[in-house]
Each structure stands twice: as C-alpha cells, then as structure tokens.
Amino acid sequence: MKFKQSEAQNQRIERITTSHLIVGIDMAKETHVAQITNYRGIVLTNRHLSFSNTIEGFEKLQRWMEGIQQKHHLSNAIIGMEPTGHYWWNLANWLTNKELQVVLVNPATTKRNKENRDNCQSKSDPKDALVIADVVSRGYYYEHTKQTHVFERLRTLMSDREFWVANSVRLQNRIIRWLDIRYPEYSSVFKDWTCKRSMATLKEFPTPQDLTDQTVPEIIAMWKKHMQRAGGTTGIQKAAELIAQAKRSVGDITALAEAKLDLARLIAEFERITEMLADIEKQLHVLLEEIPMAVQMRSIKGMGPIFVAAILAGAGDLRQYAHGRQLLRKAGLNLAESTSGKRKGQIVVSKRGDSRLRKYLYLATIQLIGINPVFQELHQHNVQVKHMKKQQSVFKLVGKVARVLIGMVHRAETFTPEKASHLVLQAA
C-alpha cells in the first residue's frame, strides 16, 4: 500500500500563499497563547502573545495580528487551534463573525509533531502554539464552519440528551445494585424493573419484608394508586409470585429504613430524568420538522428521529460534504492500516473524529441491518457470498449509509427500496 497525500490536503496547502499570516493558538480556560509564522513556518515575532478569554483579550489578539500584517505586508490570515474541550468555542465563533478564517487541528497531529522543531520533548504553551501554526502551514487542518441556527439548536439539544441519558444509566445501575443486595429474587418476577407494575411495587413494597404479610388483593389495591389496570390475570399472578419470592428471600435486612429512603430517592430521580428525556425528544421531533434533509433521512426505514438528530448534530449540514467519505472521516470511521516491510498490519477504524457521530452512525447501521430489507440483503450478501465476518460487513455498510445520506441530500430525494435497488446490484 503506497502512501499518497490526499487531494484535500494538497488543496489546503495550495490555499496558503505568500500573502498569508498563520496564527497558532494554544487554548486554555483563562489565558490563551498565540504565535505567528509565515507560510514557510518562519516565526514573525520576537515573542508570543498571551491574551485573556474575554472580549478585551480577543480584541487584543486582533490588533496584534493586524499590526504584524501591516509590518510584513500580508493581506490574509489563517488562524488555527485545537478543538479540545470547550475553551476554543467562543474565540472561534468570535473570529468567524469577524470574517476571519478559522481552522481546526487534530490534537493527535500536534502531539506527534512537538519534537519536530527543536528535537526536544519539552512542552510549553508558546511551543504548542508554534506547533499548531506549523501544522496548519503544511495543510493538516480542517475548516471551522459555523452552523446555521437550527443545527446549533439541534447540537445543543442532543448534547443535553446525552448528559441525561448517561445520568439515567448510572441511576439504573444503582437501582439494580440495590435490588441485588436487598431483594435478589425480584428479577425473577419482573424481567423489566422499569415497567409500571414494577415501579408501583418498588414505591409501595420496596423490600421483601414489606410483602410477606400482604395478600394478593391488598397488593393489587396498592398498585391501583399508580396504574389503572392493576388487577386481572397478570396482576394476580405477579402479586402471588412477589409474595412467594419475598418469603424465601435471602436479601440483606440490615439498615432497612435507610435503604428504603435511598431507593425512594433513586426512584424519584430516575422518574424525573425520564420525564426530562421525554420532553427533550418532543423538542427534537419539532425541530427535525424544520430541517428538510431530516425529513429525507427519516424516509429510510429504521432511521429513527434520535439517529437522525444525532447524525445532524454531529455532522451539521450534510450539504457541506461532497462525498460520504468526508462524513466518515468527520466521524473517525475511515480505515487505517499499519504496514512496514514484511509486516502487514491489521486494517482498523481510525477513530480520529467525533466519537458521538461515530457511535450513532454505527448504531443506525445496526438498526438498518435489523429491520430495513435493503440493508438486510446487503448484509447477507457480504456475509454469505463475500464471506465477510459480520462485524466487517457492518463497518462496510456504515460507509454505504454515509454515501446514501450524502447522495439523498444532494439530490433532494427520499429513500425508497426501488431507488436503492442498485446498491444490491453494485454489491453483487
């Protein structure tokens, strides 16, 4: 496999001319550090600039750049920074609003280039800023494009949802742990402890000791406080099973009063977060209706609203991508191979991109393989005819999904099995 510099990188290098001022900025919470070079990587200042993360600091940076541009008769500027954490966000948007060109550099690239300039493993903010400028001058960057308002709203909602989903998972694990200790037989009665009848039980009879003296009608009567159809054949059966399991339970009985309070707090918080997530999903549904390409994406059977929202939140406007490969690279789903001499390395996914976008593209593909006939057929062809491993086929189809999405958006078409039939023919 021969190394070939990408056409996109060549184009980025060609955009940097002798008239360009290149600024590298090392980002921090309170004080940023900037260094300036020309297109050849030659430093144009005697010392770096430190400026605060405030409007006064941003204006100080602008005056500094304009002064050096005038001194060296440079008409253009390109400003590079690492998109680490969230500290870069406000400065990048402020510069973009000033119609200045902002580009982003992969932190892994700067990490590997730290020793190139001085053959030393030392680290400092001015050195990091200089390394970023040097990396930009060689075309190893990608453009920072400020998304339209609707995509920013979508990104904010999905970020909020991810936070509360993570909290919900932690709470569920904590509740399961509580049950394993206090009532380990509970899962034999309720496979899903989040169902209505189970939640009513945990609120009214959280421990086996609360159930041993109860009768089936008494349990059903308490369930009716939380659900409409508490009785019936299922209700009687579940109540009888609960009593039987409670009498033979080996759960811990120490500090029961405190344990019950702990469970009550966990249940209340879990329900609060569940309600918030439902509200966020309603907002996402409304917002997706405002985005024409989201409606197109929803036309793919199996591409649910959460998948669509997550992909658009991570990738932004899909019309900015010329090909599905660019979307894959954005997500870090492009392939990487390590080969040298007689050693042939394994081909792996690069994982150099947006991890959340990568996760949802992968999960969306799994969903499509499960319920979409077109992708089911493609997957079966890969596994049975091409003898691919199932996981290898999944990642191949992730690329297919990316190409389909970009193609649909550019052609302003919806997805139909008839239009997608050529995909199966191409795979054959």
Side-chain angles (χ1 to χ4, degrees):
M1 181 180 179
K2 294 182 179 180
F3 174 76
K4 182 179 179 182
Q5 188 161 279
S6 70
E7 182 181 346
Q9 187 188 345
N10 287 332
Q11 291 174 353
R12 290 193 292 266
I13 294 174
E14 288 173 2
R15 292 193 200 112
I16 301 174
T17 65
T18 56
S19 65
H20 267 93
L21 183 82
I22 300 175
V23 184
I25 303 177
D26 183 66
M27 311 302 297
K29 181 178 177 63
E30 296 179 353
T31 304
H32 310 313
V33 174
Q35 288 271 31
I36 288 182
T37 70
N38 64 8
Y39 77 106
R40 288 182 175 174
I42 299 173
V43 182
L44 300 180
T45 58
N46 293 327
R47 59 174 286 109
H48 62 274
L49 175 75
S50 296
F51 61 101
S52 62
N53 190 26
T54 62
I55 186 65
E56 291 80 12
F58 296 173
E59 291 171 347
K60 178 181 179 182
L61 170 68
Q62 186 179 22
R63 290 193 300 271
W64 186 61
M65 291 190 299
E66 289 172 351
I68 296 172
Q69 278 184 293
Q70 292 176 3
K71 180 179 179 181
H72 294 275
H73 308 290
L74 302 172
S75 57
N76 299 306
I78 181 169
I79 305 157
M81 58 187 73
E82 291 178 338
T84 49
H86 56 273
Y87 302 135
W88 66 279
W89 185 252
N90 291 334
L91 176 59
N93 287 333
W94 188 86
L95 292 168
T96 302
N97 290 336
K98 295 287 183 180
E99 298 184 351
L100 292 168
Q101 185 182 6
V102 177
V103 299
L104 303 177
V105 175
N106 193 315
T109 305
T110 56
K111 182 179 179 181
R112 285 165 173 74
N113 281 275
K114 273 187 174 35
E115 295 184 31
N116 285 356
R117 293 189 71 92
D118 57 6
N119 194 32
C120 179
Q121 66 270 37
S122 64
K123 182 189 185 306
S124 66
D125 292 344
K127 179 179 178 179
D128 289 349
L130 196 56
V131 170
I132 292 170
D134 190 54
V135 167
V136 170
S137 70
R138 290 187 283 124
Y140 293 102
Y141 65 83
Y142 55 96
E143 301 284 346
H144 168 64
T145 52
K146 192 174 180 181
Q147 298 294 334
T148 57
H149 183 59
V150 68
F151 287 101
E152 291 295 343
R153 290 170 61 197
L154 194 60
R155 187 181 64 84
T156 301
L157 274 176
M158 280 306 300
S159 177
D160 192 23
R161 181 182 181 276
E162 286 290 297
F163 174 80
W164 291 114
V165 165
N167 275 276
S168 176
V169 170
R170 280 196 289 268
L171 276 171
Q172 291 180 58
N173 290 337
R174 180 81 178 179
I175 292 171
I176 291 170
R177 174 185 179 275
W178 192 100
L179 290 170
D180 288 342
I181 294 172
R182 301 290 175 174
Y183 199 168
E185 301 81 11
Y186 191 82
S187 60
S188 66
V189 181
F190 292 110
K191 301 298 181 185
D192 178 15
W193 66 266
T194 64
C195 70
K196 287 185 178 180
R197 203 181 303 275
S198 172
M199 295 294 284
T201 303
L202 293 177
K203 291 175 182 178
E204 298 295 337
F205 313 105
T207 66
Q209 290 70 31
D210 296 318
L211 285 160
T212 52
D213 295 332
Q214 301 292 326
T215 63
V216 169
E218 287 173 338
I219 292 174
I220 293 175
M222 296 301 286
W223 281 346
K224 287 181 179 179
K225 294 166 57 178
H226 304 278
M227 56 189 299
Q228 291 180 345
R229 302 179 64 180
T233 304
T234 302
I236 294 171
Q237 179 187 348
K238 291 295 182 183
E241 289 179 13
L242 278 170
I243 294 171
Q245 294 293 347
K247 289 179 178 179
R248 58 186 294 273
S249 179
V250 295
D252 186 11
I253 59 173
T254 59
L256 280 181
E258 290 76 14
K260 288 164 74 171
L261 286 173
D262 180 29
L263 180 63
R265 286 189 289 264
L266 291 171
I267 293 292
E269 184 66 7
F270 172 71
E271 289 184 327
R272 187 180 73 88
I273 292 177
T274 301
E275 187 177 341
M276 280 196 298
L277 286 171
D279 184 57
I280 290 172
E281 291 192 20
K282 287 180 183 177
Q283 294 178 54
L284 285 171
H285 278 80
V286 172
L287 192 55
L288 288 176
E289 293 296 326
E290 300 178 19
I291 307 174
M293 69 180 66
V295 178
Q296 293 174 253
M297 294 168 69
R298 291 286 304 276
S299 67
I300 305 176
K301 182 181 178 181
M303 187 67 75
I306 297 301
F307 291 134
V308 172
I311 291 169
L312 293 179
D317 191 338
L318 296 184
R319 290 171 297 186
Q320 67 185 317
Y321 301 94
H323 194 276
R325 287 190 298 270
Q326 293 180 337
L327 180 59
L328 294 177
R329 187 170 290 276
K330 169 76 173 177
L333 283 165
N334 52 307
L335 299 180
E337 180 182 1
S338 177
T339 301
S340 178
K342 295 181 179 180
R343 180 180 65 82
K344 183 171 179 61
Q346 186 179 6
I347 297 177
V348 296
V349 176
S350 71
K351 294 186 179 179
R352 296 287 169 79
D354 189 313
S355 60
R356 193 176 300 165
L357 177 60
R358 180 165 63 249
K359 178 181 81 170
Y360 279 102
L361 276 172
Y362 176 81
L363 292 177
T365 303
I366 295 291
Q367 177 85 340
L368 292 174
I369 291 172
I371 65 176
N372 190 298
V374 172
F375 288 92
Q376 284 177 341
E377 189 172 350
L378 285 167
H379 183 60
Q380 289 173 3
H381 181 86
N382 288 339
V383 174
Q384 296 173 7
V385 179
K386 292 189 172 182
H387 305 292
M388 291 183 182
K389 293 181 180 178
K390 289 184 178 180
Q391 191 72 347
Q392 186 181 3
S393 173
V394 170
F395 278 106
K396 184 176 180 64
L397 290 177
V398 170
K400 191 76 74 176
V401 170
R403 290 191 290 276
V404 167
L405 292 177
I406 300 302
M408 285 170 53
V409 169
H410 279 293
R411 296 185 183 92
E413 296 177 346
T414 56
F415 182 92
T416 61
E418 293 76 20
K419 290 179 181 177
S421 60
H422 71 281
L423 294 176
V424 181
L425 295 174
Q426 287 176 354

